[in-house]
Amino acid sequence: MISLQVNNLTKYFDQRKVFKDLSFIVEDNSCLVVIGKNGSGKTTLLKILAGLYSPNEGEIKYNLGGKTIKKDQTKKFLSLVAPDLNLYDELTALENLKFLSKIQSLSFGEDDLLKKIHDAGLKSRENDLVGSFSSGMKQKLKIVFALLNQPKFLLLDEPSSNLDEDGIAYLERRISEQKKRGILILATNNKKETEYGEKILSLDN
Amino acid sequence: MERKFFPLIIEPLTLFSKEIKSELRTRYALNAVLMFAIVTLTVIGISVGQYALNSKILASLFWVVLFFSSMSGLANVFIKEEEKKTSDLLKLVAKPSTVFLGKFFFNLLFFFFLELIIIPLFILLLGLEIQNFLFFFSVLILSSLGLVSATTIIGAIVSKAQVKSALFPVLSFPILLPLLITAIDGTYLSIQKIGLSYNADNLKFLFSYFMVMLVLSFLLFEFIWKE
């Protein structure tokens, strides 16, 4: 049993309120879509959930198997794809994945990683520097990275941005898999992407 | 699949080798530091001309060149993560202790490489004559360890600031001042062929400084990195 519980989450940047007393629960095998205008706090919310920002008030509980995961252990179970989360431009696609898996103590053989890169539609580009990739190709590689640890909680911020048709089909397959594996939180302004969610959270109010 | 063996060693080593690969490809800090060191040494060499500098001045100049050369490079391990927006990625995948140790060992290697360039040039251009190699290298290694421990954590602090490159030497100088004074004194004594009893206090201080800085930096790093 997996769930994510957010209670009275409040975030200010200096004096500016981003959101106040935000509470919600996401249950196993479901997707919460977060919508809102630009600047409404979608990215901030996802970064707080990922542990990259601290909230001013409130608590977040990641529950797995009836127990709340300790704060310093949550990294093992979650992943994030966000527009300003960059991979290393000076490394190749394969080197990026090797580094990112090894530093998480995930042991993948080179063939496993190559298969993941090829599945994302980046065949024959595995040894090219990420700096030479288009923004859509980088986005595909970020999705591959995010799924390396088979996360129970996946956070996607504008995941289809810059993706071509094949990329969107790849993303849809990964979204279906994630909903079977655990929980998906998706922040978007794209109407089609709101269809992935069982619940919608609007940050406009 | 999860690897169970020695993550405490493998994870920092993974970051360390990534840093080396990254630096060799981008030359983000290497070129700037080498140019700075070579230009500074050449300018000093030309200014001094044929005058023979006394040992105290030579030892001071040696550490002035090392200090300012390192200032233009050692903070880059964190600054480049912020500028290239890869710091969030690193925060997601790596433990703070892994990041600190990986960056610390890379900075140490970088500083030793810098010394490898500066020492022969200093001997060649300014006529540095080392009388006691054992003391000289003991002082050098302990001072390097202390300097890198302090500058690694300071680099992490300034990487969050707006005026990064200006802030780094300003913040570093007061913290490194006791180390620099002792390193200059130790280097002077090793040039002077003075016995162990005179230099032992310097070595003890440099070792203590290194241990205190390393432990403090390691303990404080998580707080700084997550902010």
Side-chain angles (χ1 to χ4, degrees), chain A residues 47 50 52 75 80 84-88 90-92 95 99-100 102-107 129 145, chain B residues 1-3 7 11 14-15 18 21-22 25-26 81 84-86 88-94 98:
Chain A
K47 286 196 169 184
L52 296 174
K75 262 183 203 170
L80 169 72
D84 60 353
L85 187 83
N86 288 350
L87 298 171
Y88 291 98
E90 66 274 21
L91 301 182
T92 67
E95 285 169 346
F99 166 68
L100 293 166
K102 212 172 169 188
I103 204 163
Q104 296 180 84
S105 288
L106 302 166
S107 60
L129 295 179
F145 144 70
Chain B
M1 276 172 78
E2 198 164 344
R3 178 180 303 163
E11 290 172 11
T14 303
L15 181 60
K18 192 280 288 177
K21 192 178 279 181
S22 195
R25 285 191 187 160
T26 59
E81 300 281 358
K84 293 186 170 184
K85 293 185 177 174
T86 49
D88 281 349
L89 179 73
L90 205 51
K91 281 174 193 166
L92 275 178
V93 296
T98 299

mmCIF file of all heavy atoms in Angstrom, chain A residues 47 50 52 75 80 84-88 90-92 95 99-100 102-107 129 145, chain B residues 1-3 7 11 14-15 18 21-22 25-26 81 84-86 88-94 98:
data_model
loop_
_atom_site.group_PDB
_atom_site.id
_atom_site.type_symbol
_atom_site.label_atom_id
_atom_site.label_comp_id
_atom_site.label_asym_id
_atom_site.label_seq_id
_atom_site.Cartn_x
_atom_site.Cartn_y
_atom_site.Cartn_z
ATOM 1 N N LYS A 47 8.925 20.570 -6.326
ATOM 2 C CA LYS A 47 10.282 20.611 -5.745
ATOM 3 C C LYS A 47 10.238 20.409 -4.227
ATOM 4 O O LYS A 47 11.158 19.827 -3.656
ATOM 5 C CB LYS A 47 10.972 21.925 -6.096
ATOM 6 C CG LYS A 47 11.404 21.954 -7.556
ATOM 7 C CD LYS A 47 12.405 23.044 -7.822
ATOM 8 C CE LYS A 47 13.007 22.867 -9.199
ATOM 9 N NZ LYS A 47 14.054 23.851 -9.479
ATOM 10 N N ALA A 50 9.810 16.782 -3.762
ATOM 11 C CA ALA A 50 11.058 16.055 -4.060
ATOM 12 C C ALA A 50 12.139 16.315 -3.012
ATOM 13 O O ALA A 50 13.207 15.708 -3.058
ATOM 14 C CB ALA A 50 11.573 16.476 -5.429
ATOM 15 N N LEU A 52 13.667 19.212 -2.587
ATOM 16 C CA LEU A 52 14.649 20.205 -3.042
ATOM 17 C C LEU A 52 14.417 21.570 -2.398
ATOM 18 O O LEU A 52 15.353 22.354 -2.263
ATOM 19 C CB LEU A 52 14.600 20.340 -4.569
ATOM 20 C CG LEU A 52 15.000 19.094 -5.354
ATOM 21 C CD1 LEU A 52 14.771 19.289 -6.850
ATOM 22 C CD2 LEU A 52 16.457 18.735 -5.099
ATOM 23 N N LYS A 75 14.462 9.701 -0.939
ATOM 24 C CA LYS A 75 15.141 9.783 -2.236
ATOM 25 C C LYS A 75 15.124 8.457 -2.992
ATOM 26 O O LYS A 75 15.041 8.432 -4.218
ATOM 27 C CB LYS A 75 16.599 10.170 -2.013
ATOM 28 C CG LYS A 75 16.898 11.613 -2.186
ATOM 29 C CD LYS A 75 18.385 11.812 -1.994
ATOM 30 C CE LYS A 75 18.686 13.228 -1.598
ATOM 31 N NZ LYS A 75 20.078 13.371 -1.185
ATOM 32 N N LEU A 80 12.112 12.778 -10.078
ATOM 33 C CA LEU A 80 11.541 14.034 -10.581
ATOM 34 C C LEU A 80 12.038 14.311 -11.990
ATOM 35 O O LEU A 80 13.213 14.124 -12.296
ATOM 36 C CB LEU A 80 11.967 15.185 -9.645
ATOM 37 C CG LEU A 80 11.709 16.612 -10.101
ATOM 38 C CD1 LEU A 80 10.212 16.955 -10.060
ATOM 39 C CD2 LEU A 80 12.471 17.613 -9.218
ATOM 40 N N ASP A 84 13.871 22.637 -15.289
ATOM 41 C CA ASP A 84 15.177 23.178 -14.891
ATOM 42 C C ASP A 84 16.039 22.164 -14.142
ATOM 43 O O ASP A 84 16.934 22.545 -13.387
ATOM 44 C CB ASP A 84 15.014 24.476 -14.080
ATOM 45 C CG ASP A 84 14.209 24.257 -12.824
ATOM 46 O OD1 ASP A 84 13.665 23.151 -12.658
ATOM 47 O OD2 ASP A 84 14.125 25.194 -11.998
ATOM 48 N N LEU A 85 15.758 20.914 -14.367
ATOM 49 C CA LEU A 85 16.606 19.852 -13.803
ATOM 50 C C LEU A 85 17.456 19.323 -14.962
ATOM 51 O O LEU A 85 16.980 18.537 -15.779
ATOM 52 C CB LEU A 85 15.721 18.741 -13.233
ATOM 53 C CG LEU A 85 16.415 17.641 -12.457
ATOM 54 C CD1 LEU A 85 16.641 18.068 -11.014
ATOM 55 C CD2 LEU A 85 15.570 16.379 -12.449
ATOM 56 N N ASN A 86 18.672 19.804 -15.039
ATOM 57 C CA ASN A 86 19.494 19.489 -16.212
ATOM 58 C C ASN A 86 20.392 18.279 -16.001
ATOM 59 O O ASN A 86 20.892 18.070 -14.897
ATOM 60 C CB ASN A 86 20.374 20.683 -16.574
ATOM 61 C CG ASN A 86 19.567 21.812 -17.179
ATOM 62 O OD1 ASN A 86 18.392 21.646 -17.492
ATOM 63 N ND2 ASN A 86 20.184 22.961 -17.336
ATOM 64 N N LEU A 87 20.616 17.545 -17.083
ATOM 65 C CA LEU A 87 21.630 16.488 -17.065
ATOM 66 C C LEU A 87 22.975 17.140 -17.416
ATOM 67 O O LEU A 87 23.020 18.321 -17.761
ATOM 68 C CB LEU A 87 21.268 15.403 -18.080
ATOM 69 C CG LEU A 87 19.932 14.685 -17.817
ATOM 70 C CD1 LEU A 87 19.558 13.804 -18.990
ATOM 71 C CD2 LEU A 87 20.012 13.847 -16.549
ATOM 72 N N TYR A 88 24.043 16.353 -17.351
ATOM 73 C CA TYR A 88 25.382 16.907 -17.602
ATOM 74 C C TYR A 88 25.654 16.989 -19.104
ATOM 75 O O TYR A 88 25.775 15.966 -19.770
ATOM 76 C CB TYR A 88 26.440 16.071 -16.900
ATOM 77 C CG TYR A 88 26.365 16.219 -15.398
ATOM 78 C CD1 TYR A 88 25.698 15.283 -14.611
ATOM 79 C CD2 TYR A 88 26.924 17.321 -14.767
ATOM 80 C CE1 TYR A 88 25.591 15.434 -13.241
ATOM 81 C CE2 TYR A 88 26.826 17.489 -13.393
ATOM 82 C CZ TYR A 88 26.164 16.543 -12.643
ATOM 83 O OH TYR A 88 26.052 16.713 -11.277
ATOM 84 N N GLU A 90 28.286 17.864 -20.645
ATOM 85 C CA GLU A 90 29.627 17.448 -21.069
ATOM 86 C C GLU A 90 29.809 15.939 -21.059
ATOM 87 O O GLU A 90 30.880 15.441 -21.422
ATOM 88 C CB GLU A 90 30.705 18.131 -20.210
ATOM 89 C CG GLU A 90 30.720 17.731 -18.752
ATOM 90 C CD GLU A 90 29.756 18.542 -17.883
ATOM 91 O OE1 GLU A 90 28.805 19.115 -18.446
ATOM 92 O OE2 GLU A 90 29.944 18.567 -16.665
ATOM 93 N N LEU A 91 28.778 15.207 -20.632
ATOM 94 C CA LEU A 91 28.828 13.744 -20.677
ATOM 95 C C LEU A 91 27.900 13.243 -21.782
ATOM 96 O O LEU A 91 26.941 13.922 -22.150
ATOM 97 C CB LEU A 91 28.384 13.145 -19.340
ATOM 98 C CG LEU A 91 29.166 13.528 -18.076
ATOM 99 C CD1 LEU A 91 28.603 12.785 -16.866
ATOM 100 C CD2 LEU A 91 30.651 13.251 -18.219
ATOM 101 N N THR A 92 28.175 12.044 -22.277
ATOM 102 C CA THR A 92 27.283 11.466 -23.278
ATOM 103 C C THR A 92 26.028 10.947 -22.575
ATOM 104 O O THR A 92 25.984 10.861 -21.341
ATOM 105 C CB THR A 92 27.960 10.292 -24.007
ATOM 106 O OG1 THR A 92 28.154 9.227 -23.064
ATOM 107 C CG2 THR A 92 29.297 10.689 -24.611
ATOM 108 N N GLU A 95 27.012 7.933 -20.594
ATOM 109 C CA GLU A 95 27.813 8.302 -19.416
ATOM 110 C C GLU A 95 26.949 8.924 -18.327
ATOM 111 O O GLU A 95 27.143 8.667 -17.134
ATOM 112 C CB GLU A 95 28.922 9.281 -19.823
ATOM 113 C CG GLU A 95 30.074 8.622 -20.559
ATOM 114 C CD GLU A 95 31.028 9.627 -21.190
ATOM 115 O OE1 GLU A 95 30.671 10.823 -21.296
ATOM 116 O OE2 GLU A 95 32.122 9.216 -21.601
ATOM 117 N N PHE A 99 26.645 7.274 -14.687
ATOM 118 C CA PHE A 99 26.961 8.049 -13.487
ATOM 119 C C PHE A 99 25.771 8.105 -12.535
ATOM 120 O O PHE A 99 25.896 7.843 -11.337
ATOM 121 C CB PHE A 99 27.405 9.468 -13.885
ATOM 122 C CG PHE A 99 27.422 10.438 -12.740
ATOM 123 C CD1 PHE A 99 28.342 10.296 -11.708
ATOM 124 C CD2 PHE A 99 26.509 11.481 -12.669
ATOM 125 C CE1 PHE A 99 28.356 11.175 -10.628
ATOM 126 C CE2 PHE A 99 26.508 12.367 -11.597
ATOM 127 C CZ PHE A 99 27.436 12.205 -10.576
ATOM 128 N N LEU A 100 24.598 8.424 -13.102
ATOM 129 C CA LEU A 100 23.419 8.611 -12.248
ATOM 130 C C LEU A 100 22.937 7.312 -11.609
ATOM 131 O O LEU A 100 22.338 7.340 -10.534
ATOM 132 C CB LEU A 100 22.288 9.267 -13.065
ATOM 133 C CG LEU A 100 22.594 10.706 -13.503
ATOM 134 C CD1 LEU A 100 21.624 11.180 -14.561
ATOM 135 C CD2 LEU A 100 22.588 11.654 -12.312
ATOM 136 N N LYS A 102 25.118 4.670 -10.931
ATOM 137 C CA LYS A 102 26.172 4.231 -10.011
ATOM 138 C C LYS A 102 26.170 5.043 -8.717
ATOM 139 O O LYS A 102 26.386 4.495 -7.637
ATOM 140 C CB LYS A 102 27.534 4.373 -10.715
ATOM 141 C CG LYS A 102 28.544 3.332 -10.272
ATOM 142 C CD LYS A 102 29.782 3.399 -11.136
ATOM 143 C CE LYS A 102 30.892 2.562 -10.523
ATOM 144 N NZ LYS A 102 32.163 2.738 -11.211
ATOM 145 N N ILE A 103 25.888 6.331 -8.823
ATOM 146 C CA ILE A 103 25.918 7.172 -7.619
ATOM 147 C C ILE A 103 24.713 6.889 -6.713
ATOM 148 O O ILE A 103 24.708 7.221 -5.535
ATOM 149 C CB ILE A 103 26.018 8.678 -7.989
ATOM 150 C CG1 ILE A 103 26.624 9.446 -6.811
ATOM 151 C CG2 ILE A 103 24.675 9.262 -8.392
ATOM 152 C CD1 ILE A 103 27.140 10.793 -7.133
ATOM 153 N N GLN A 104 23.699 6.240 -7.298
ATOM 154 C CA GLN A 104 22.559 5.818 -6.469
ATOM 155 C C GLN A 104 22.716 4.367 -6.015
ATOM 156 O O GLN A 104 21.772 3.780 -5.485
ATOM 157 C CB GLN A 104 21.256 5.939 -7.250
ATOM 158 C CG GLN A 104 20.893 7.352 -7.638
ATOM 159 C CD GLN A 104 19.580 7.406 -8.413
ATOM 160 O OE1 GLN A 104 18.507 7.431 -7.849
ATOM 161 N NE2 GLN A 104 19.680 7.411 -9.733
ATOM 162 N N SER A 105 23.889 3.800 -6.297
ATOM 163 C CA SER A 105 24.158 2.386 -5.998
ATOM 164 C C SER A 105 23.185 1.456 -6.703
ATOM 165 O O SER A 105 22.809 0.407 -6.182
ATOM 166 C CB SER A 105 24.126 2.135 -4.488
ATOM 167 O OG SER A 105 25.249 2.692 -3.886
ATOM 168 N N LEU A 106 22.781 1.857 -7.904
ATOM 169 C CA LEU A 106 21.955 0.966 -8.731
ATOM 170 C C LEU A 106 22.893 0.318 -9.736
ATOM 171 O O LEU A 106 23.637 1.026 -10.418
ATOM 172 C CB LEU A 106 20.882 1.759 -9.482
ATOM 173 C CG LEU A 106 19.913 2.570 -8.636
ATOM 174 C CD1 LEU A 106 19.146 3.542 -9.507
ATOM 175 C CD2 LEU A 106 18.930 1.643 -7.922
ATOM 176 N N SER A 107 22.861 -0.992 -9.801
ATOM 177 C CA SER A 107 23.814 -1.618 -10.721
ATOM 178 C C SER A 107 23.106 -2.056 -11.998
ATOM 179 O O SER A 107 22.297 -2.976 -11.992
ATOM 180 C CB SER A 107 24.508 -2.791 -10.048
ATOM 181 O OG SER A 107 23.573 -3.742 -9.653
ATOM 182 N N LEU A 129 27.385 13.668 -26.904
ATOM 183 C CA LEU A 129 27.297 14.524 -25.716
ATOM 184 C C LEU A 129 25.876 15.065 -25.574
ATOM 185 O O LEU A 129 25.250 15.457 -26.575
ATOM 186 C CB LEU A 129 28.273 15.697 -25.814
ATOM 187 C CG LEU A 129 29.771 15.367 -25.823
ATOM 188 C CD1 LEU A 129 30.600 16.643 -25.943
ATOM 189 C CD2 LEU A 129 30.176 14.598 -24.560
ATOM 190 N N PHE A 145 16.242 8.738 -17.062
ATOM 191 C CA PHE A 145 16.935 8.876 -15.768
ATOM 192 C C PHE A 145 15.954 8.705 -14.603
ATOM 193 O O PHE A 145 16.220 7.975 -13.646
ATOM 194 C CB PHE A 145 17.632 10.243 -15.673
ATOM 195 C CG PHE A 145 17.613 10.835 -14.297
ATOM 196 C CD1 PHE A 145 18.373 10.267 -13.270
ATOM 197 C CD2 PHE A 145 16.806 11.934 -13.987
ATOM 198 C CE1 PHE A 145 18.326 10.783 -11.983
ATOM 199 C CE2 PHE A 145 16.757 12.449 -12.707
ATOM 200 C CZ PHE A 145 17.517 11.867 -11.696
ATOM 201 N N MET B 1 17.892 -3.077 -9.808
ATOM 202 C CA MET B 1 18.863 -3.811 -8.984
ATOM 203 C C MET B 1 19.666 -2.856 -8.119
ATOM 204 O O MET B 1 20.049 -1.784 -8.568
ATOM 205 C CB MET B 1 19.841 -4.567 -9.899
ATOM 206 C CG MET B 1 19.322 -5.902 -10.356
ATOM 207 S SD MET B 1 20.401 -6.595 -11.588
ATOM 208 C CE MET B 1 21.707 -7.195 -10.584
ATOM 209 N N GLU B 2 19.880 -3.252 -6.914
ATOM 210 C CA GLU B 2 20.615 -2.363 -6.017
ATOM 211 C C GLU B 2 21.939 -2.998 -5.603
ATOM 212 O O GLU B 2 21.996 -4.167 -5.242
ATOM 213 C CB GLU B 2 19.784 -2.092 -4.779
ATOM 214 C CG GLU B 2 20.265 -0.880 -4.035
ATOM 215 C CD GLU B 2 19.216 -0.375 -3.046
ATOM 216 O OE1 GLU B 2 18.052 -0.772 -3.158
ATOM 217 O OE2 GLU B 2 19.609 0.399 -2.181
ATOM 218 N N ARG B 3 23.003 -2.226 -5.684
ATOM 219 C CA ARG B 3 24.304 -2.741 -5.278
ATOM 220 C C ARG B 3 24.435 -2.614 -3.763
ATOM 221 O O ARG B 3 24.106 -1.598 -3.176
ATOM 222 C CB ARG B 3 25.398 -1.922 -5.952
ATOM 223 C CG ARG B 3 26.781 -2.365 -5.544
ATOM 224 C CD ARG B 3 27.800 -1.534 -6.237
ATOM 225 N NE ARG B 3 27.585 -1.644 -7.671
ATOM 226 C CZ ARG B 3 28.096 -0.806 -8.540
ATOM 227 N NH1 ARG B 3 28.809 0.167 -8.151
ATOM 228 N NH2 ARG B 3 27.860 -0.941 -9.823
ATOM 229 N N PRO B 7 28.860 1.150 -0.654
ATOM 230 C CA PRO B 7 28.358 2.397 -1.247
ATOM 231 C C PRO B 7 29.083 3.626 -0.708
ATOM 232 O O PRO B 7 29.225 4.619 -1.415
ATOM 233 C CB PRO B 7 26.875 2.413 -0.865
ATOM 234 C CG PRO B 7 26.735 1.473 0.272
ATOM 235 C CD PRO B 7 27.813 0.450 0.110
ATOM 236 N N GLU B 11 30.220 5.435 -4.090
ATOM 237 C CA GLU B 11 29.464 6.632 -4.488
ATOM 238 C C GLU B 11 30.347 7.892 -4.574
ATOM 239 O O GLU B 11 30.322 8.576 -5.599
ATOM 240 C CB GLU B 11 28.266 6.825 -3.556
ATOM 241 C CG GLU B 11 27.211 5.741 -3.777
ATOM 242 C CD GLU B 11 26.091 5.756 -2.750
ATOM 243 O OE1 GLU B 11 26.003 6.713 -1.978
ATOM 244 O OE2 GLU B 11 25.316 4.788 -2.734
ATOM 245 N N THR B 14 32.547 7.566 -7.565
ATOM 246 C CA THR B 14 31.797 7.784 -8.817
ATOM 247 C C THR B 14 31.735 9.276 -9.135
ATOM 248 O O THR B 14 31.967 9.694 -10.278
ATOM 249 C CB THR B 14 30.369 7.220 -8.677
ATOM 250 O OG1 THR B 14 30.454 5.850 -8.328
ATOM 251 C CG2 THR B 14 29.575 7.370 -9.951
ATOM 252 N N LEU B 15 31.438 10.075 -8.111
ATOM 253 C CA LEU B 15 31.374 11.527 -8.324
ATOM 254 C C LEU B 15 32.767 12.078 -8.650
ATOM 255 O O LEU B 15 32.909 12.930 -9.539
ATOM 256 C CB LEU B 15 30.795 12.216 -7.074
ATOM 257 C CG LEU B 15 30.643 13.733 -7.165
ATOM 258 C CD1 LEU B 15 29.723 14.141 -8.304
ATOM 259 C CD2 LEU B 15 30.113 14.301 -5.853
ATOM 260 N N LYS B 18 33.591 11.333 -12.164
ATOM 261 C CA LYS B 18 32.774 12.192 -13.048
ATOM 262 C C LYS B 18 33.357 13.599 -13.101
ATOM 263 O O LYS B 18 33.430 14.227 -14.171
ATOM 264 C CB LYS B 18 31.331 12.236 -12.517
ATOM 265 C CG LYS B 18 30.293 12.842 -13.433
ATOM 266 C CD LYS B 18 30.230 14.338 -13.464
ATOM 267 C CE LYS B 18 29.664 14.952 -12.229
ATOM 268 N NZ LYS B 18 29.692 16.440 -12.312
ATOM 269 N N LYS B 21 36.426 13.620 -15.397
ATOM 270 C CA LYS B 21 36.006 13.544 -16.806
ATOM 271 C C LYS B 21 35.427 14.885 -17.262
ATOM 272 O O LYS B 21 35.749 15.400 -18.337
ATOM 273 C CB LYS B 21 34.955 12.429 -16.945
ATOM 274 C CG LYS B 21 34.653 12.042 -18.368
ATOM 275 C CD LYS B 21 33.656 10.917 -18.439
ATOM 276 C CE LYS B 21 34.289 9.565 -18.209
ATOM 277 N NZ LYS B 21 33.325 8.461 -18.294
ATOM 278 N N SER B 22 34.585 15.447 -16.403
ATOM 279 C CA SER B 22 33.919 16.707 -16.707
ATOM 280 C C SER B 22 34.943 17.845 -16.859
ATOM 281 O O SER B 22 34.861 18.634 -17.799
ATOM 282 C CB SER B 22 32.971 16.988 -15.538
ATOM 283 O OG SER B 22 32.069 17.955 -15.854
ATOM 284 N N ARG B 25 37.038 17.600 -20.026
ATOM 285 C CA ARG B 25 36.305 17.946 -21.252
ATOM 286 C C ARG B 25 36.001 19.430 -21.352
ATOM 287 O O ARG B 25 36.028 19.994 -22.437
ATOM 288 C CB ARG B 25 35.000 17.151 -21.312
ATOM 289 C CG ARG B 25 35.259 15.722 -21.689
ATOM 290 C CD ARG B 25 34.006 14.969 -22.012
ATOM 291 N NE ARG B 25 34.342 13.567 -22.206
ATOM 292 C CZ ARG B 25 33.483 12.584 -22.126
ATOM 293 N NH1 ARG B 25 32.217 12.842 -21.870
ATOM 294 N NH2 ARG B 25 33.860 11.347 -22.308
ATOM 295 N N THR B 26 35.678 20.056 -20.222
ATOM 296 C CA THR B 26 35.253 21.461 -20.297
ATOM 297 C C THR B 26 36.397 22.434 -20.014
ATOM 298 O O THR B 26 36.330 23.582 -20.423
ATOM 299 C CB THR B 26 34.142 21.748 -19.270
ATOM 300 O OG1 THR B 26 34.625 21.458 -17.954
ATOM 301 C CG2 THR B 26 32.912 20.905 -19.540
ATOM 302 N N GLU B 81 27.923 23.614 -10.892
ATOM 303 C CA GLU B 81 26.666 22.874 -10.697
ATOM 304 C C GLU B 81 25.480 23.850 -10.667
ATOM 305 O O GLU B 81 24.412 23.552 -11.207
ATOM 306 C CB GLU B 81 26.677 22.077 -9.387
ATOM 307 C CG GLU B 81 27.765 21.028 -9.266
ATOM 308 C CD GLU B 81 27.489 19.734 -10.008
ATOM 309 O OE1 GLU B 81 26.414 19.599 -10.611
ATOM 310 O OE2 GLU B 81 28.393 18.864 -9.999
ATOM 311 N N LYS B 84 25.126 25.576 -14.309
ATOM 312 C CA LYS B 84 24.601 24.666 -15.336
ATOM 313 C C LYS B 84 23.311 23.993 -14.900
ATOM 314 O O LYS B 84 22.800 23.111 -15.589
ATOM 315 C CB LYS B 84 25.658 23.616 -15.679
ATOM 316 C CG LYS B 84 26.877 24.208 -16.360
ATOM 317 C CD LYS B 84 27.816 23.129 -16.818
ATOM 318 C CE LYS B 84 28.890 23.720 -17.711
ATOM 319 N NZ LYS B 84 29.778 22.703 -18.272
ATOM 320 N N LYS B 85 22.807 24.416 -13.744
ATOM 321 C CA LYS B 85 21.540 23.899 -13.203
ATOM 322 C C LYS B 85 21.536 22.375 -13.079
ATOM 323 O O LYS B 85 20.566 21.706 -13.452
ATOM 324 C CB LYS B 85 20.374 24.375 -14.058
ATOM 325 C CG LYS B 85 20.154 25.864 -13.982
ATOM 326 C CD LYS B 85 18.925 26.279 -14.729
ATOM 327 C CE LYS B 85 18.690 27.773 -14.576
ATOM 328 N NZ LYS B 85 17.578 28.242 -15.395
ATOM 329 N N THR B 86 22.638 21.838 -12.599
ATOM 330 C CA THR B 86 22.705 20.394 -12.361
ATOM 331 C C THR B 86 22.715 20.086 -10.860
ATOM 332 O O THR B 86 22.737 18.920 -10.480
ATOM 333 C CB THR B 86 23.964 19.788 -13.012
ATOM 334 O OG1 THR B 86 25.095 20.572 -12.637
ATOM 335 C CG2 THR B 86 23.866 19.767 -14.510
ATOM 336 N N ASP B 88 20.364 20.480 -8.615
ATOM 337 C CA ASP B 88 19.148 19.768 -8.180
ATOM 338 C C ASP B 88 19.233 18.284 -8.524
ATOM 339 O O ASP B 88 18.784 17.433 -7.754
ATOM 340 C CB ASP B 88 17.899 20.375 -8.830
ATOM 341 C CG ASP B 88 17.466 21.660 -8.136
ATOM 342 O OD1 ASP B 88 18.009 21.954 -7.050
ATOM 343 O OD2 ASP B 88 16.598 22.368 -8.672
ATOM 344 N N LEU B 89 19.804 18.008 -9.678
ATOM 345 C CA LEU B 89 19.972 16.606 -10.090
ATOM 346 C C LEU B 89 20.865 15.868 -9.088
ATOM 347 O O LEU B 89 20.535 14.765 -8.637
ATOM 348 C CB LEU B 89 20.604 16.560 -11.485
ATOM 349 C CG LEU B 89 20.875 15.187 -12.085
ATOM 350 C CD1 LEU B 89 19.574 14.519 -12.515
ATOM 351 C CD2 LEU B 89 21.815 15.280 -13.273
ATOM 352 N N LEU B 90 21.958 16.528 -8.719
ATOM 353 C CA LEU B 90 22.891 15.920 -7.772
ATOM 354 C C LEU B 90 22.248 15.754 -6.393
ATOM 355 O O LEU B 90 22.469 14.751 -5.711
ATOM 356 C CB LEU B 90 24.142 16.800 -7.680
ATOM 357 C CG LEU B 90 25.438 16.129 -7.246
ATOM 358 C CD1 LEU B 90 25.739 14.888 -8.050
ATOM 359 C CD2 LEU B 90 26.589 17.114 -7.339
ATOM 360 N N LYS B 91 21.424 16.739 -6.008
ATOM 361 C CA LYS B 91 20.735 16.633 -4.716
ATOM 362 C C LYS B 91 19.758 15.458 -4.714
ATOM 363 O O LYS B 91 19.553 14.819 -3.693
ATOM 364 C CB LYS B 91 19.966 17.926 -4.424
ATOM 365 C CG LYS B 91 20.844 19.040 -3.928
ATOM 366 C CD LYS B 91 20.073 20.327 -3.786
ATOM 367 C CE LYS B 91 21.044 21.485 -3.605
ATOM 368 N NZ LYS B 91 20.448 22.779 -3.787
ATOM 369 N N LEU B 92 19.166 15.197 -5.878
ATOM 370 C CA LEU B 92 18.194 14.096 -5.955
ATOM 371 C C LEU B 92 18.859 12.725 -5.878
ATOM 372 O O LEU B 92 18.298 11.806 -5.297
ATOM 373 C CB LEU B 92 17.424 14.172 -7.288
ATOM 374 C CG LEU B 92 16.211 15.077 -7.362
ATOM 375 C CD1 LEU B 92 15.636 15.040 -8.769
ATOM 376 C CD2 LEU B 92 15.141 14.675 -6.363
ATOM 377 N N VAL B 93 20.034 12.602 -6.490
ATOM 378 C CA VAL B 93 20.616 11.259 -6.614
ATOM 379 C C VAL B 93 21.701 10.928 -5.582
ATOM 380 O O VAL B 93 21.982 9.758 -5.361
ATOM 381 C CB VAL B 93 21.196 11.014 -8.042
ATOM 382 C CG1 VAL B 93 20.105 11.053 -9.077
ATOM 383 C CG2 VAL B 93 22.303 12.004 -8.376
ATOM 384 N N ALA B 94 22.294 11.965 -4.978
ATOM 385 C CA ALA B 94 23.448 11.674 -4.117
ATOM 386 C C ALA B 94 23.234 12.164 -2.694
ATOM 387 O O ALA B 94 22.594 13.188 -2.469
ATOM 388 C CB ALA B 94 24.701 12.335 -4.691
ATOM 389 N N THR B 98 28.270 12.018 0.188
ATOM 390 C CA THR B 98 28.856 11.594 -1.089
ATOM 391 C C THR B 98 29.331 12.810 -1.880
ATOM 392 O O THR B 98 30.444 12.812 -2.415
ATOM 393 C CB THR B 98 27.801 10.835 -1.927
ATOM 394 O OG1 THR B 98 27.391 9.696 -1.200
ATOM 395 C CG2 THR B 98 28.331 10.441 -3.289
#
